[in-house]
């Protein structure tokens, strides 16, 4: 009876003209919702894909912990202890404590276990980075040289520090990564908190502070209007324009299905559109390719970087192979940079990243950069005859074998685990090839009452988790500042202009910060002070830049198209769980260690390009 009563209230409690609507419930918008609820605002969240399903691991700056701590405090101040949801074990749901607490430990845990267990589990969802390692295997003066720097561990925060809230993104991103956490566990933690706030209000029969519409989207109009003038006429549909430039929002429930390897969505049969009215402000944060932002006329442009190699500005672009292997990387952030040479002896730099989780033996995210000159073309490699169709099973199978072989070779270099042993380790995802092209919009404001944020506004280098940090720590906090500005007497027009400008500045800070990942050696998420320490220890100039090319990369992309939805598809290769820690790092450069490599001819400096010639 109580469940039926709560459901009847849920159906009637569709908010009209809410204060804030979040379109897309990733980290950026869920944090923005939490700030808004803590400020006493009526909120709505709209998400297309239901529950979170992002499998990557994030390296997070310390600021995120302090933002969660302040939200916890504001919730109690605004709504009282009785207005804060409780976990199943009876303890108040404190976001900062679920993330990390002095009373609990890190380990193999899911956010739902922490939140919904009937007895205390004694574990938090994040892990602290105890080991930060940098391996520099670039050649010097035509010869292999290895420099290893192991940085001193940081001290984890024990309590809320107000000085770490509201900092510029330059300051945030210049600080070192402190925590490692599964992106999905962070997103689940935020989502469950919002769901529990909604549920407790519905059960109490009061106006909900937040309503969540999962498996919903802004009405998309005629599915047949795919191009041309008809699409242009229907582009607004669920974004209903008002004379003053504001948008009224109409959403619909959708049904998702997998059709011929692609995700398709249609309005759920038997349902009607839901009119949310006109919010004071809405924020679109739906990932790097937002159809809603596009429908409102938002466009992104490529970001260019000058590597000072004589080629002038080129598009900031890099390709990586990502894979999730069940090997014990542990509480470690390990970065490696090495020289790679094309057939003409030109030098390029490639990077690898190994990310684990404190006391969790199954987390081994390994990302490896693909040099610009490498194509993975099975015909060039001699694995298939010329003119083999690119869509044939034979061609694609050979392509995937080339990708896997290269990936495991690079994983062996960063982990010190032999390739033949890596072949036997279970892989739950990948390796998958992803391309990163830095892009940014000109203006975050897309309507009198609407802005674009997160990766939807601009995206930088993903290797450092800078996008997650910029969205959750930067853009989301600007929503809190919006409500503060309104309480201090600013008009909605003035406050949203400041909001849009702040989002843009945060993203520009991130792009500026991450540009060095495309050409320079120093890993930006080690922090500015640690980068200087690495430079002093190795004696190598952190400002020296690599060379890049573009044509071969385009050829590589033409072989097998990349699908962004691939992040949601598991691809398990069965094998064993590697529970031992990583082997000790060897002091010998890999090119001098292996008998097959010991005869490598030193490359004369005259043949190296840009970076090699100047080191």
């Amino acid at each position: 009876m109580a469940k039926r009563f709560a459901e009847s209230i849920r159906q009637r409690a569709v908010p009209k003209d809410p204060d804030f609507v979040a379109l897309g419930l990733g980290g950026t918008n869920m944090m923005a919702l939490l700030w808004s609820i803590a400020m006493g605002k009526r909120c709505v969240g709209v998400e297309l894909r239901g529950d979170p399903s992002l499998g990557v691991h994030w390296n997070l700056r310390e600021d995120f912990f302090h933002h969660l701590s302040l939200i916890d405090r504001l919730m109690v101040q605004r709504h009282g202890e009785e207005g804060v949801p409780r976990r199943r074990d009876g303890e108040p749901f404190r976001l900062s404590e679920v993330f990390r607490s002095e009373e609990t430990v890190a380990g193999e845990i899911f956010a739902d276990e922490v939140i919904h267990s009937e007895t205390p589990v004694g574990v938090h969802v994040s892990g602290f980075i105890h080991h930060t390692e940098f391996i520099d295997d670039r050649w010097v003066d035509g010869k292999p040289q290895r420099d290893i720097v192991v940085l001193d561990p940081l001290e984890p925060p024990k309590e809320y520090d107000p000085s770490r809230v509201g900092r510029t993104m330059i300051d945030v991103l210049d600080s070192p990564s402190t925590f490692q956490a599964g992106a999905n566990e962070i997103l689940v933690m935020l989502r469950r908190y919002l769901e529990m706030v909604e549920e407790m209000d519905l059960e109490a029969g009061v106006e909900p502070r937040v309503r969540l519409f999962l498996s919903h989207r802004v009405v998309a109009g005629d599915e047949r209007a795919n191009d041309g003038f008809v699409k242009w006429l229907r582009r607004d549909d669920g974004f209903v324009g008002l004379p003053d430039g504001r948008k009224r929002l109409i959403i619909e429930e959708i049904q998702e299905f997998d059709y011929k390897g692609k995700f398709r969505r249609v309005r759920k049969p038997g349902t009607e559109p839901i009119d949310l009215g006109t919010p004071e402000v809405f924020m679109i944060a739906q990932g790097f390719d937002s159809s809603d932002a596009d429908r409102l006329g938002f466009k992104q442009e490529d970001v260019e970087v000058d590597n000072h190699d004589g080629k002038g500005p080129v598009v900031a672009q890099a390709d990586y192979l990502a894979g999730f292997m069940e090997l014990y990387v542990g509480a470690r952030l390990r970065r490696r940079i090495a020289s790679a040479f094309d057939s003409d002896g030109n030098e390029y730099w490639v990077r690898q990243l190994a990310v684990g989780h404190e006391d969790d033996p199954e987390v081994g995210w390994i990302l490896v950069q693909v040099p610009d000159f490498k194509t993975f073309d099975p015909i060039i490699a001699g694995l298939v005859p010329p003119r083999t169709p690119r869509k044939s099973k034979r061609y694609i199978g050979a392509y995937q074998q080339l990708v896997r072989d290269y990936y495991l070779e690079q994983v062996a270099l960063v982990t010190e685990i032999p390739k033949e042993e890596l072949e036997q380790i279970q892989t739950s995802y990948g390796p998958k090839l992803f391309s990163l092209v830095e892009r940014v919009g000109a203006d975050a404001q897309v309507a009198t009452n609407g802005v674009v944020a997160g990766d939807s506004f601009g995206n930088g280098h993903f290797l450092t988790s800078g996008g997650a940090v910029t969205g959750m720590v930067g853009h989301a906090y600007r929503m809190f500042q919006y409500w503060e500005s309104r309480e201090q007497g600013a008009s909605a027009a003035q406050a949203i202009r400041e909001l849009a400008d702040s989002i843009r500045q945060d993203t520009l800070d991130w792009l500026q910060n991450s540009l060095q990942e495309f050409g320079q050696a120093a890993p930006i998420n080690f922090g500015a002070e640690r980068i200087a320490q690495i430079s002093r220890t190795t004696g190598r100039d952190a400002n020296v830049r690599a060379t890049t090319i573009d044509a071969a990369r385009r050829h590589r992309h033409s072989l097998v198209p990349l699908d962004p939805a691939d992040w949601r598809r598991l691809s398990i290769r069965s094998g064993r769980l590697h529970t031992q820690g990583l082997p000790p790092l060897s002091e010998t450069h890999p090119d001098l260690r292996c008998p097959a490599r010991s005869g490598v001819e030193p490359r004369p400096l005259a043949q190296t390009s840009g970076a090699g010639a100047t080191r």
Side-chain angles (χ1 to χ4, degrees):
M1 178 68 72
K3 271 193 167 182
R4 288 199 300 271
F5 178 70
E7 185 58 32
S8 67
I9 295 177
R10 181 188 295 274
Q11 296 299 327
R12 295 197 305 269
V14 176
K16 198 64 179 281
D17 302 330
D19 298 308
F20 175 53
V21 173
L23 298 178
L25 290 182
T28 299
N29 257 341
M30 285 198 285
M31 286 293 288
L33 282 169
L34 290 167
W35 285 116
S36 299
I37 295 168
M39 292 293 286
K41 305 305 175 183
R42 297 166 52 247
C43 303
V44 171
V46 181
E47 171 56 46
L48 185 69
R49 298 179 178 87
D51 240 30
S53 58
L54 184 59
V56 299
H57 234 66
W58 282 336
N59 294 304
L60 299 173
R61 278 42 167 203
E62 182 182 326
D63 301 66
F64 183 63
F65 168 80
H66 299 293
H67 279 227
L68 295 177
S69 298
L70 181 54
I71 290 172
D72 287 334
R73 290 167 180 246
L74 291 175
M75 284 294 293
V76 174
Q77 291 174 12
R78 176 76 61 171
H79 304 289
E81 290 285 354
E82 67 281 0
V84 175
R86 290 187 174 271
R87 290 155 32 182
R88 184 69 62 85
D89 61 10
E91 292 296 317
F93 190 162
R94 310 280 191 222
L95 291 162
S96 59
E97 292 178 0
V98 173
F99 180 75
R100 187 188 188 281
S101 169
E102 287 290 293
E103 307 302 321
T104 52
V105 299
E108 185 179 0
I109 196 71
F110 293 99
D112 276 329
E113 293 179 81
V114 179
I115 297 164
H116 295 302
S117 176
E118 294 185 356
T119 58
V121 293
V123 183
H124 48 251
V125 299
S126 73
F128 191 73
I129 301 175
H130 292 283
H131 309 285
T132 304
E133 303 160 344
F134 179 63
I135 307 166
D136 194 333
D137 278 344
R138 292 173 294 163
W139 284 46
V140 176
D141 297 332
K143 298 179 181 178
Q145 177 173 312
R146 164 164 284 206
D147 291 299
I148 298 174
V149 181
V150 179
L151 299 168
D152 293 333
L154 301 169
E155 286 293 327
K158 293 182 171 60
E159 58 185 18
Y160 167 59
D161 181 357
S163 70
R164 300 300 291 258
V165 175
R167 299 199 300 162
T168 67
M169 285 312 301
I170 285 291
D171 289 337
V172 172
L173 294 172
D174 273 348
S175 61
S177 294
T178 309
F179 298 103
Q180 291 170 327
N184 208 62
E185 303 319 310
I186 300 301
L187 297 178
V188 166
M189 176 186 74
L190 302 178
R191 180 70 63 81
R192 298 295 179 259
Y193 191 98
L194 292 167
E195 290 172 346
M196 292 167 77
V197 169
E198 176 188 40
E199 192 64 34
M200 65 189 297
D201 289 347
L202 290 171
E203 289 181 355
V206 300
E207 183 178 30
R209 288 166 283 180
V210 61
R211 283 302 322 273
L212 302 177
F213 293 91
L214 310 179
S215 301
H216 287 71
R217 67 181 177 187
V218 177
V219 170
D222 193 339
E223 295 286 341
R224 296 168 298 177
N226 292 321
D227 54 288
F229 187 67
V230 175
K231 179 180 179 181
W232 183 87
L233 281 176
R234 297 180 178 273
R235 70 191 188 284
D236 273 343
D237 291 322
F239 294 104
V240 181
L242 302 180
D244 60 2
R246 292 182 300 159
K247 297 291 183 182
R248 191 172 96 245
L249 303 183
I250 302 174
I251 63 174
E252 61 184 350
E253 187 174 2
I254 60 97
Q255 177 178 317
E256 181 180 80
F257 54 96
D258 195 334
Y259 180 73
K260 295 183 177 180
K262 298 286 186 180
F263 289 116
R264 308 291 184 183
R265 301 178 183 94
V266 297
R267 181 183 296 173
K268 187 175 181 179
T271 64
E272 296 295 328
I274 301 170
D275 189 347
L276 298 179
T278 307
E280 177 171 325
V281 61
F282 67 89
M283 180 181 285
I284 299 173
Q286 300 168 324
F288 67 91
D289 186 19
S290 168
S291 59
D292 283 350
D294 180 68
R295 288 158 67 189
L296 295 178
F298 178 78
K299 301 296 180 186
Q300 290 182 335
E301 299 294 336
D302 291 343
V303 176
E304 294 186 335
V305 56
D306 191 341
N307 288 313
H308 305 290
D309 54 7
K311 298 182 179 180
V314 296
V315 174
Q317 179 171 333
D319 293 346
Y320 281 84
L321 287 167
F324 183 79
M325 305 188 72
E326 295 191 7
L327 60 88
Y328 187 25
V329 176
R332 174 176 279 104
L333 173 59
R334 178 179 290 180
R335 297 285 300 270
R336 178 179 181 266
I337 186 168
S339 298
F341 297 91
D342 65 15
S343 58
D344 295 323
N346 297 311
E347 180 184 7
Y348 300 86
W349 294 347
V350 292
R351 299 161 175 81
Q352 298 97 37
L353 169 69
V355 177
H357 189 103
E358 184 180 7
D359 293 334
D360 189 341
E362 296 184 12
V363 176
W365 272 104
I366 317 289
L367 287 85
V368 304
Q369 186 175 1
V370 181
D372 291 350
F373 57 82
K374 195 167 187 64
T375 64
F376 298 122
D377 189 327
I379 295 176
I380 295 175
L383 295 182
V384 297
R387 295 183 294 278
T388 299
R390 290 180 176 176
K391 293 184 178 180
S392 67
K393 293 179 181 179
R394 188 175 183 183
Y395 186 97
I396 294 175
Y399 164 82
Q400 291 183 350
Q401 184 60 45
L402 286 171
V403 168
R404 177 170 168 80
D405 282 346
Y406 177 79
Y407 178 75
L408 292 181
E409 289 169 3
Q410 300 302 302
V411 173
L413 293 173
V414 72
T415 63
E416 300 279 4
I417 299 175
K419 181 185 174 184
E420 55 271 20
E421 189 173 340
L422 292 171
E423 289 271 10
Q424 307 303 317
I425 297 175
Q426 179 155 302
T427 303
S428 300
Y429 178 85
K432 295 290 185 178
L433 179 65
F434 290 91
S435 179
L436 171 71
V437 180
E438 282 203 353
R439 311 195 76 194
V440 67
D443 189 352
Q445 187 169 0
V446 290
T448 299
N449 61 334
V451 295
V452 178
D455 286 354
S456 296
F457 178 71
N459 60 288
H461 205 292
F462 66 75
L463 198 66
T464 64
S465 302
V469 174
T470 300
M472 296 192 298
V473 174
H475 297 172
Y477 181 75
R478 306 308 169 195
M479 200 66 239
F480 171 68
Q481 291 180 316
Y482 174 93
W483 298 121
E484 280 193 319
S485 182
R486 292 286 285 134
E487 287 188 354
Q488 293 165 6
S491 66
Q494 177 186 349
I496 201 168
R497 184 66 262 164
E498 293 172 352
L499 171 64
D501 290 343
S502 296
I503 290 170
R504 182 174 186 273
Q505 188 58 56
D506 285 342
T507 298
L508 292 179
D509 286 351
W510 173 31
L511 296 178
Q512 181 62 38
N513 182 270
S514 67
L515 278 178
Q516 72 185 58
E517 287 282 352
F518 292 92
Q520 292 170 252
I524 61 176
N525 63 325
F526 278 17
E529 293 182 4
R530 288 174 152 198
I531 290 173
Q533 179 185 342
I534 289 171
S535 184
R536 290 192 302 268
T537 303
T538 63
R540 305 199 197 200
D541 186 355
N543 295 314
V544 172
R545 297 172 182 270
T547 186
T548 57
I549 58 177
D550 187 54
R553 182 186 290 121
R554 286 198 299 269
H555 172 60
R556 178 165 67 234
H557 286 181
S558 70
L559 302 180
V560 178
L562 305 179
D563 184 0
D566 225 14
W567 285 111
R568 302 175 61 195
R569 296 182 184 273
L570 290 177
S571 179
I572 296 178
R573 183 183 289 263
S574 60
R576 65 184 63 177
L577 172 64
H578 190 282
T579 57
Q580 300 92 343
L582 298 185
L585 286 169
S586 171
E587 295 290 336
T588 306
H589 192 288
D591 287 342
L592 301 175
R593 205 183 306 165
C594 175
R597 290 176 172 174
S598 60
V600 171
E601 289 288 335
R603 289 163 172 78
L605 289 178
Q607 288 186 335
T608 59
S609 60
T614 57
R615 267 203 322 280

